[in-house]
Amino acid sequence: MAAVVEVEVGGGAVAERELDEVDMSDLSPEEQWRVEHARMHAKHRGHEAMHAEMVLILIATLVVAQLLLVQWKQRHPRSYNMVTLFQMWVVPLYFTVKLHWWRFLGIWVFFSAVTAFVTFRATRKPLVQTTPRLVYKWFLLIYKISYATGIVGYMAVMFTLFGLNLLFKIKPEDAMDFGISLLFYGLYYGVLERDFAEMCADYMASTIGFYSESGMPTKHLSDSVCAVCGQQIFVDVNEEGIIENTYRLSCNHAGASNPWERPHVMYGQLLDWLRYLVAWQPVIIGLVQGISYILGLE
């Protein structure tokens, strides 16, 4: 005889078979979560063999997808980066609308509108002389904002783990949600601005003539011209500028400061992981769900 599981709700115990009759409107959020959790267990009891098959399908799909993505990235990096960037841009939009994350949606729309304008300017031929500086200034601004946002989010998470949020009478769940949200904002827009900046730089370099598919550029820079904006340099590398300083890049060209030139190795790996999580993980999960549906697994 099967045991009857009881769930504590509203100070009393409710048998599992009576869960469907519980009025959720009178329960606290914690009690609602407890009832939903018990309902899920009741629904899936006795399906252990089916769940094992679904886990095997998930593992096999993850392994095969990872191998295919690695091969695609190695053999055709340009198309892989373009598709990944597109999915990084549009996939969160689906979850934002579905889950009603209107604040994220507002920031996403603003970022997308300005970035689309900047990208449009960067891909025009002939290239306007002021476009490289516009591209540099916009993506440098987003880099600084996303970097600072990520740092604040990380500090908020660490303060919560050490219990420092209690000094300000902030609930742990509220402090943790705040920190994780800021951390995600910083990492997500940090990845987007980095990828869009590289794409725009490649287009502009090809248009100006500093880059070609054959590997032999048709133009070269004078020592007195900035490698970023293409305009005259008025401040020497070793001199202090009023508005901005001049730096020597690793390619031996002089230009404005480039925060993307030498990224930290661990930070670069973190960005790659975030690309995979946001761009490809939903696709793989959807593929697993499709396979399970075709095989009649629920």
Side-chain angles (χ1 to χ4, degrees), residues 153-184:
Y154 175 77
M155 292 177 62
V157 171
M158 296 305 298
F159 283 173
T160 305
L161 292 178
F162 285 107
L164 299 179
N165 58 292
L166 300 177
L167 298 176
F168 303 96
K169 298 181 180 180
I170 302 176
K171 295 180 180 180
E173 54 269 23
D174 294 338
M176 186 62 72
D177 288 344
F178 174 77
I180 293 177
S181 297
L182 288 184
L183 190 59
F184 175 77

Side-chain angles (χ1 to χ4, degrees), residues 2-296:
V4 177
V5 179
E6 294 185 344
V7 181
E8 185 177 352
V9 175
V14 178
E16 197 174 73
R17 59 177 176 269
E18 301 175 357
L19 288 174
D20 293 335
E21 302 173 2
V22 175
D23 186 5
M24 302 288 284
S25 60
D26 297 332
L27 304 181
S28 65
E30 183 180 354
E31 290 174 335
Q32 291 178 5
W33 177 87
R34 199 175 298 159
V35 171
E36 292 292 341
H37 190 69
R39 285 176 177 175
M40 184 189 67
H41 276 280
K43 179 180 178 181
H44 293 281
R45 179 173 289 109
H47 299 163
E48 288 77 10
M50 182 183 297
H51 293 163
E53 293 180 20
M54 295 177 69
V55 170
L56 291 177
I57 293 174
L58 174 62
I59 295 175
T61 305
L62 287 173
V63 172
V64 173
Q66 187 66 29
L67 292 176
L68 292 177
L69 289 175
V70 170
Q71 290 298 316
W72 184 11
K73 185 178 181 179
Q74 291 178 348
R75 297 174 183 270
H76 306 284
R78 187 178 181 84
S79 62
Y80 172 84
N81 292 333
M82 290 294 292
V83 174
T84 302
L85 176 59
F86 177 76
Q87 292 191 182
M88 278 284 299
W89 189 29
V90 300
V91 167
L93 180 62
Y94 167 77
F95 294 100
T96 297
V97 176
K98 182 178 180 180
L99 300 175
H100 302 161
W101 293 342
W102 305 125
R103 181 177 57 219
F104 182 89
L105 180 61
I107 298 175
W108 184 92
V109 170
F110 174 77
F111 172 84
S112 299
V114 179
T115 301
F117 171 75
V118 172
T119 304
F120 175 81
R121 290 282 300 272
T123 55
R124 295 307 91 193
K125 294 182 180 181
L127 190 67
V128 180
Q129 186 178 8
T130 57
T131 298
R133 180 172 288 273
L134 171 66
V135 173
Y136 173 78
K137 289 294 186 182
W138 168 245
F139 289 116
L140 179 62
L141 174 64
I142 299 300
Y143 168 81
K144 291 180 178 180
I145 294 176
S146 61
Y147 193 84
T149 303
I151 292 296
V152 173
Y154 175 77
M155 292 177 62
V157 171
M158 296 305 298
F159 283 173
T160 305
L161 292 178
F162 285 107
L164 299 179
N165 58 292
L166 300 177
L167 298 176
F168 303 96
K169 298 181 180 180
I170 302 176
K171 295 180 180 180
E173 54 269 23
D174 294 338
M176 186 62 72
D177 288 344
F178 174 77
I180 293 177
S181 297
L182 288 184
L183 190 59
F184 175 77
Y185 274 83
L187 290 175
Y188 175 72
Y189 287 104
V191 171
L192 277 187
E193 61 84 16
R194 178 188 175 95
D195 292 347
F196 271 109
E198 291 182 353
M199 182 185 69
C200 291
D202 289 342
Y203 270 106
M204 292 189 298
S206 178
T207 301
I208 297 173
F210 298 137
Y211 166 81
S212 65
E213 294 183 358
S214 62
M216 294 296 293
T218 58
K219 292 183 180 180
H220 68 279
L221 284 173
S222 171
D223 293 338
S224 61
V225 176
C226 176
V228 175
C229 64
Q231 298 183 16
Q232 196 75 17
I233 293 179
F234 298 101
V235 180
D236 238 350
V237 174
N238 298 323
E239 294 181 0
E240 187 73 21
I242 298 177
I243 299 179
E244 58 186 14
N245 298 328
T246 304
Y247 298 86
R248 180 74 62 184
L249 305 179
S250 61
C251 55
N252 210 30
H253 289 113
S257 175
N258 183 2
W260 305 280
E261 178 138 9
R262 294 180 180 178
H264 195 279
V265 175
M266 290 186 63
Y267 181 67
Q269 292 176 348
L270 178 61
L271 297 186
D272 288 338
W273 173 81
L274 187 65
R275 289 188 187 95
Y276 176 80
L277 179 65
V278 176
W280 295 111
Q281 195 68 18
V283 176
I284 295 174
I285 297 300
L287 182 61
V288 171
Q289 291 180 344
I291 296 174
S292 300
Y293 177 78
I294 293 174
L295 297 179

